Amino acid sequence: DAKTTQPTSMDCAEGRAANLPCNHSTISGNEYVYWYRQIHSQGPQYIIHGLKNNETNEMASLIITEDRKSSTLILPHATLRDTAVYYCIVRVGRGNKLVFGAGTILRVKS
Amino acid sequence: DSGVTQTPKHLITATGQRVTLRCSPRSGDLSVYWYQQSLDQGLQFLIHYYNGEERAKGNILERFSAQQFPDLHSELNLSSLELGDSALYFCASSVEASLRETQYFGPGTRLLVL
């Protein structure tokens, strides 16, 4: 399974952009990068995903480097409700499972 | 709200017992996935069903089993429960079973084995 590396934790000031990095140097050409977040013990919430191109939706932007070995999730205007564990996941082929790592704890502070 | 429902929300039982967790996928979704989240193991994939058929197994114990019914809801059966089975159990659903399909998670069932 392609592995991802994320910082253990990050702090962000409320109203500022939160930039969460992820390294996935062993990613294969047809593997997608997915981002989920989990607030407290709620079910993981889908944020965004991408293959090669940068992506943007109502929640966030995803920037993928040209070599696809790393990506950055951007929350443009972080709020206190964005405090959560953020998971960067590379989708693996067999079984279509999501392989979760430890994720990044993002703390948004006022 | 993801559209995925799980019942019950909380379950407290004793060691050696058997429980059934239920998941209703989003309307139109054919795939159901089960995940376990414990304090020491994090979120782990258990099993995937697509349109009633088992597609893949992860780290699912032999004491655990699952099935997906014709109406597409799924049940996860946990038997001979041990203290270590205490965890959050999530199900997720997606329309199909490809890598491009986003999985949407339910709110989970919190199981406590005493």
Side-chain angles (χ1 to χ4, degrees), chain A residues 8-99:
Chain A
T8 302
S9 65
M10 295 180 63
D11 291 339
C12 177
E14 190 177 21
R16 304 297 295 268
N19 297 279
L20 291 89
C22 179
N23 286 320
H24 31 78
S25 59
T26 60
I27 193 171
S28 298
N30 63 346
E31 291 178 334
Y32 285 78
V33 178
Y34 274 75
W35 283 83
Y36 282 78
R37 72 182 183 183
Q38 187 174 27
I39 299 172
H40 289 298
S41 297
Q42 298 176 22
Q45 178 188 22
Y46 166 75
I47 301 173
I48 199 167
H49 73 280
L51 181 62
K52 296 180 183 177
N53 301 320
N54 298 337
E55 303 287 345
T56 295
N57 63 20
E58 65 279 2
M59 286 185 68
S61 295
L62 175 61
I63 308 298
I64 302 175
T65 58
E66 196 169 337
D67 63 7
R68 303 208 329 119
K69 292 185 177 182
S70 66
S71 60
T72 301
L73 177 74
I74 302 172
L75 307 178
H77 304 288
T79 71
L80 298 178
R81 287 177 295 181
D82 292 321
T83 293
V85 179
Y86 287 77
Y87 297 100
C88 169
I89 299 164
V90 173
R91 294 290 290 272
V92 293
R94 296 188 66 181
N96 198 27
K97 62 184 176 183
L98 294 172
V99 180

Side-chain angles (χ1 to χ4, degrees), chain B residues 30-71:
Chain B
L30 299 177
S31 273
V32 171
Y33 311 79
W34 286 96
Y35 292 82
Q36 178 192 54
Q37 185 173 31
S38 58
L39 282 176
D40 57 345
Q41 297 282 347
L43 266 159
Q44 291 206 313
F45 167 75
L46 294 178
I47 198 163
H48 169 209
Y49 274 83
Y50 174 74
N51 204 19
E53 294 186 2
E54 180 184 304
R55 277 295 183 93
K57 274 186 174 181
N59 298 322
I60 187 167
L61 300 172
E62 286 192 9
R63 300 183 286 108
F64 296 1
S65 65
Q67 53 184 330
Q68 186 179 26
F69 295 86
D71 67 352

